[in-house]
Amino acid sequence: PKYLKRGTELWYDRVFMRAKRLGIWQSYTWQQVYDKVKALSLGFMKIGLARGETVAAAGDNEPEMFWTQFAVQSAGGKLVFLYPDMTPEEVRYVLEDSGAVYFAAEDQEQVDKVLQIKEHLPNLRKIIYWDDRGLWHYTDPILMRLDACEQIGRAYGKDHPMAFEQSLEQGQGDDIAVLSYTSGTTGLPKGVILTHNYLLDNALRLIMANDFRPFSRYLSYISPAWATEQFFLTVG
């Protein structure tokens, strides 16, 4: 999170990420991403996310997925990513084992999985989604739109103008950034701890071993549930 802030100070008007929407590439600058992350992070703080708590996320590699990751980490939380094709029972195991208190979902498919098992997840507070197609008639109070969380954060930030920066300053390299679960081929999947220092160390090794230049382009298509994808995200 501190590198995100530093990068924004250096390259605020440069393109940070792109995503294709209805066949057209949309660009997001460092400043735009930072503002989104700040609002979402404050929103998570306002609705109750405490430092050290876990947020689970599932879906395709869309900007909202990574904005959520940066936002949760900026608030002192950690992420656990699920492969989008996991079954409800597989989702239940990871959410229970990781102690996830929020679930960030891309769309109806991922929302339905968690609604199907929510009675087994007493610690789950909210399911926060961003693609509302097929969800217009859903009325379960556990549901919240991602943009609603963002709006809550912007309002909270007006009353607490230094809350986000103070949260960034509290972050330490030894804090857990991501829980990455093993495949489970020899038993139940196990959550592997990836600290911020660990991710930064691996990112540095990738940069040293490859001809990465500033503003090189990287296509993110492998699920962030895969640890190596987290290394490349950190390079960015």
Side-chain angles (χ1 to χ4, degrees), residues 125-229:
R125 300 169 194 158
K126 287 289 182 184
I127 301 170
I128 303 173
Y129 63 93
W130 56 90
D131 184 345
D132 65 357
R133 287 175 293 183
L135 292 168
W136 305 293
H137 63 288
Y138 283 39
T139 59
D140 196 309
I142 200 172
L143 296 174
M144 172 185 282
R145 286 178 56 96
L146 189 69
D147 56 8
C149 182
E150 181 180 339
Q151 291 170 10
I152 290 171
R154 293 191 189 281
Y156 182 68
K158 291 180 180 179
D159 296 328
H160 302 81
M162 296 305 297
F164 181 70
E165 288 74 13
Q166 289 170 352
S167 181
L168 290 186
E169 286 303 313
Q170 292 180 51
Q172 301 294 323
D174 290 336
D175 292 345
I176 300 174
V178 175
L179 294 176
S180 181
Y181 274 74
T182 61
S183 63
T185 53
T186 59
L188 291 174
K190 299 171 181 64
V192 179
I193 291 174
L194 309 183
T195 65
H196 290 281
N197 279 340
Y198 176 80
L199 292 176
L200 289 168
D201 180 75
N202 278 277
L204 177 61
R205 293 171 189 274
L206 281 170
I207 291 170
M208 293 174 64
N210 297 275
D211 189 24
F212 286 130
R213 306 291 177 86
F215 296 99
S216 295
R217 296 183 182 183
Y218 172 69
L219 177 64
S220 177
Y221 69 96
I222 300 172
S223 173
W226 189 50
T228 306
E229 182 70 1

Side-chain angles (χ1 to χ4, degrees), residues 36-93:
K36 284 276 189 183
V37 168
K38 179 177 179 178
L40 285 172
S41 185
L42 289 169
F44 272 106
M45 294 180 205
K46 177 61 176 176
I47 66 175
L49 179 67
R51 301 193 71 83
E53 289 188 320
T54 305
V55 175
D60 292 329
N61 295 29
E62 297 187 342
E64 291 86 352
M65 178 76 79
F66 305 118
W67 299 340
T68 299
Q69 173 172 352
F70 300 151
V72 170
Q73 291 172 339
S74 296
K78 57 184 179 293
L79 275 294
V80 57
F81 290 96
L82 291 79
Y83 292 98
D85 60 350
M86 291 175 72
T87 66
E89 282 305 308
E90 290 172 331
V91 171
R92 174 186 171 183
Y93 170 76

